[in-house]
Each structure stands twice: as structure tokens, then as C-alpha cells.
Amino acid sequence: LEAIPGVVLQEDEIPLAPTRDFARALIGTLGPATAEIAKDSNGRIAEGDLTGLSGLQASQDVALAGQAGVSIRVVPKPGSGREAFVLKDFPTKPGASVTVTLDPEIQAAADEVMATAPKPAALVAIRPSTGDVLAVSNGPDGANGYNRAMIGKYPPGSTFKVASGLTLLENGLTPETVVDCPATIVVGKEFSNAEGEVLGAVPFRKDFADSCNTAFVGQSRNITAEQLADTAKKLGYRELDLGVPVFGGSVPVTDSETEHAADMIGQGKVEASPFAVALASASVAAGRSVQPRLIIDPKHPEPERGEEIDPKAIASLRALMRGVVTDGTGSALLGIPGGDVAGDARGLRGQLTDVGQGGARPRAAGAGARLGERLLHV
């Protein structure tokens, strides 16, 4: 085409993900820098420059963009007989690649599932053995502008019973301990169960499987707010550094007996992102405090291993979470192939994707986690 008079070709590069919506909220977008972005860059970016506007494109812009070359020269006045000369050259620095842990197949499956979510939803997949983030997706279709999976702040509800349940198990309770589940219980105020459920005096494994609020509230007197916060922190409710904005959850320590009781069932002042809830289940699967990672540092490619969690308590909690599926509120997940699936009682509900050896495929509805190499939480 260049041989044709008048034809002008312009070379350019654009980022191409596997699909237009592939992890869009996480990867982010590019565009002209606004006046605010230029101001915050301390001179690195000028208004109108192509720059990252959101997600990884924005948080990793310094590495991705590199640095334009600059040459400072002295140019004499015309007719002076003197030649121009260079005072200082600042060479161009090409942008560096950023390697992330996303699994293209799992991410594509997650995006497919979330696209048809009937209500605002989020999905996070984590590999427990390494902490690698395999997928982060938001739905329904068109929800790419807000990465609720990582920065959303919500009361975790009964998903937090994983944390409070582990705290109880670390402090003397066993799955066979008989814990009463009445219709209501008063700890400063009256707490009740969903749909007026009453189990009576049953083993704690049954209280957990059926997500009995009053059983957990009644046990709040047996652990302190500090113990609950410390255990939740080990599981994942803490500040996190992933190289992209993320809310790791918050479990305030309280002196209020009532607030502490409400925190036991995720209805107090506890907050979590879907990512934090997924990380907690990943830590249960791994048996240690999983250190999540999204960006692989080429200088330190090996994942970081967190502290081990009480093996006996973790083994009991895994059994309790499996009981949610075999004998509790998560029975819809019982027939999913590819290994045992565990749940976290009544919590966030949505589509679960099977990522076993046969590939990633949409599966049945429910809230749960696969206690293996790959873990999903919806």
C-alpha cells in the first residue's frame, strides 16, 4: 500500500485481551489523562497523554508506560556562527511487562457466568497452595466499571461464621459439642434465626450446617472480641497489598457484648469484600494464612507462605464446611463433579463454576468452596 501515492500508514499498538470483557474491571482501561491525573503524577504525565485510567492499567502505569526520552540542547541564535550542542540526554525507557496470575480459561468461565447474573454479583477464584488469584469477575454484563469483587464493602453475613466457627474450635469447642439453637436469644438485644428455625440442643456440626444464628450468638460469651479479630485476620480479613486496589475486610474489636454477638454472625460492624471472603476459605483449604498474589515479581517468583493455623481446628472446620453441602444449606452443590465441595453456610449465593480436570464449565447455583488446588467463592 505504501507504493500508492497519497497512502499514509501509521503504526500503533493496542492491548488485546482474549475478549473485550476479559477481567475488565481488574485489568482496567487506557485513555487520555485528565487534568486531575496529570496533577497527581507530579509531572510524569501531561494532560491528554495516554495513560491507565483504572485497574492494573492505572496502578502499574509507571512500569507499563516506561519513560519518554528527553534531550536538552543549547541552540545559538541564527547567524552567530556557533553550533548547537547537547547539555544532557535522558534516554527512552521502554515499558516493562507485568505478569499476573490470572488463568485465562478460568477467568473466561467466570466472566461467562457473571455476565448472566440476575443481580449485582462477584466471583473470585484463588489457588490455596500458592495464593495465586486465578479469576476476578463482576456481573451482570456491563458491570465492568466497578470492581466490587475486590473493593466492595459489605456485611459478610453468615459467610463470617467460617471465622467465628474457627475461633470457637480454637478455644475448646468441638463439632460434637452440644450447642442449643433456640428460635431467639437475647444478648443485649434479641437475635433470631432465618425463617424462625429451631434445632434445639444439637451437636455444633448441625448448628454450622444449618447456619443457626442463635447458636453462634450464644457462644459469643466463650470467646473474646480480640480472639475473633485475630482469627479473622489470619484467615484473610486484613490489609492486603496486591498491586491493585483491594479491600481486605475489617473486624473492629469492640467492648460491646451485643456488637460482639452480632459480629459472630457477620451482622455487626464487620465488613468484607468478596475477595476477603474467598481468601478466608482459601486459608481453610490451605491450612495456613494464605498470602494472596496477583502480580508475579520476576525477582521473587516463589509464592510467600503464611503462618500455619491450628491443624486440629482447621481439620474440624473443613469437616463442618463439607457438612454444609452434605447435610445443610448448601445441598445444591452435592452433585458437582471434580472432588468434594465445601460451603460456608447461608451466605453469598450465585453461580459456582467447576474447574476440575475436565476444564472450566458453568455449574449449579450455591455458595461454596472447593477444598483443593482451585477454590471459587461467589
Side-chain angles (χ1 to χ4, degrees), residues 68 152 179 244:
V179 178
V244 70

Side-chain angles (χ1 to χ4, degrees), residues 186-212:
V186 176
V187 179
K189 72 170 188 177
E190 185 176 89
F191 293 87
S192 61
N193 295 319
E195 302 171 0
E197 181 179 55
V198 179
L199 298 178
V202 296
F204 181 63
R205 56 178 169 78
K206 183 61 175 174
D207 294 313
F208 191 95
D210 285 4
S211 191
C212 177

Side-chain angles (χ1 to χ4, degrees), residues 2-375:
E2 289 179 329
I4 302 174
V7 172
V8 178
L9 301 182
Q10 182 177 356
E11 292 186 3
D12 196 7
E13 293 183 5
I14 59 174
L16 291 176
T19 68
R20 176 179 176 81
D21 293 324
F22 183 87
R24 187 72 176 273
L26 174 60
I27 293 176
T29 57
L30 286 169
T34 64
E36 183 180 4
I37 291 176
K39 180 181 179 181
D40 291 342
S41 73
N42 295 320
R44 186 179 67 86
I45 302 171
E47 186 175 354
D49 284 352
L50 186 65
T51 188
L53 301 178
S54 62
L56 284 164
Q57 295 278 14
S59 67
Q60 302 302 308
D61 188 69
V62 172
L64 295 169
Q67 181 177 305
V70 176
S71 181
I72 301 175
R73 302 186 178 191
V74 174
V75 180
K77 290 182 180 180
S80 67
R82 300 169 65 185
E83 295 184 0
F85 62 94
V86 176
L87 281 178
K88 180 72 174 177
D89 271 330
F90 296 90
T92 298
K93 293 182 180 179
S97 295
V98 174
T99 303
V100 297
T101 59
L102 295 181
D103 183 305
E105 185 180 14
I106 298 175
Q107 181 65 50
D111 289 338
E112 180 182 353
V113 170
M114 288 291 99
T116 57
K119 295 181 179 180
L123 185 152
V124 174
I126 297 174
R127 177 173 284 122
S129 61
T130 62
D132 287 354
V133 179
L134 304 180
V136 174
S137 188
N138 298 275
D141 191 29
N144 293 320
Y146 178 60
N147 191 7
R148 71 168 53 86
M150 298 189 75
I151 63 174
K153 296 183 179 182
Y154 309 103
S158 288
T159 62
F160 193 69
K161 288 174 183 170
V162 170
S164 53
L166 178 59
T167 311
L168 292 169
L169 293 168
E170 289 177 327
N171 289 277
L173 197 73
T174 73
E176 301 306 318
T177 301
V178 174
V179 178
D180 192 24
C181 174
T184 62
I185 189 171
V186 176
V187 179
K189 72 170 188 177
E190 185 176 89
F191 293 87
S192 61
N193 295 319
E195 302 171 0
E197 181 179 55
V198 179
L199 298 178
V202 296
F204 181 63
R205 56 178 169 78
K206 183 61 175 174
D207 294 313
F208 191 95
D210 285 4
S211 191
C212 177
N213 287 341
T214 55
F216 277 81
V217 169
Q219 288 295 305
S220 64
R221 297 185 177 93
N222 295 329
I223 58 174
T224 67
E226 289 82 2
Q227 288 173 321
L228 179 60
D230 287 345
T231 297
K233 184 177 180 180
K234 285 187 290 186
L235 288 176
Y237 290 80
R238 60 183 184 270
E239 289 188 9
L240 302 170
D241 181 7
L242 289 175
V244 70
V246 59
F247 174 62
S250 173
V251 185
V253 175
T254 177
D255 293 329
S256 167
E257 183 182 52
T258 303
E259 187 177 313
H260 176 47
D263 285 345
M264 292 284 289
I265 55 176
Q267 295 181 11
K269 292 186 177 180
V270 178
E271 288 185 316
S273 63
F275 188 93
V277 176
L279 182 58
S281 291
S283 294
V284 175
R288 62 178 61 251
S289 182
V290 169
Q291 305 299 311
R293 68 171 182 172
L294 176 63
I295 298 173
I296 298 178
D297 183 350
K299 296 180 180 179
H300 305 282
E302 295 302 316
E304 180 183 350
R305 293 176 64 84
E307 67 173 299
E308 187 174 302
I309 302 174
D310 182 346
K312 183 178 180 180
I314 279 291
S316 295
L317 182 57
R318 288 173 180 164
L320 293 177
M321 292 177 70
R322 178 59 177 160
V324 172
V325 177
T326 61
D327 190 38
T329 59
S331 59
L333 303 177
L334 187 57
I336 290 180
D340 290 347
V341 177
D344 53 11
R346 286 191 181 94
L348 308 176
R349 294 185 177 271
Q351 296 266 342
L352 183 73
T353 301
D354 174 28
V355 289
Q357 294 298 321
R361 304 179 296 278
R363 288 293 172 184
R370 187 178 304 286
L371 298 182
E373 270 301 281
R374 296 190 177 105
L375 177 142

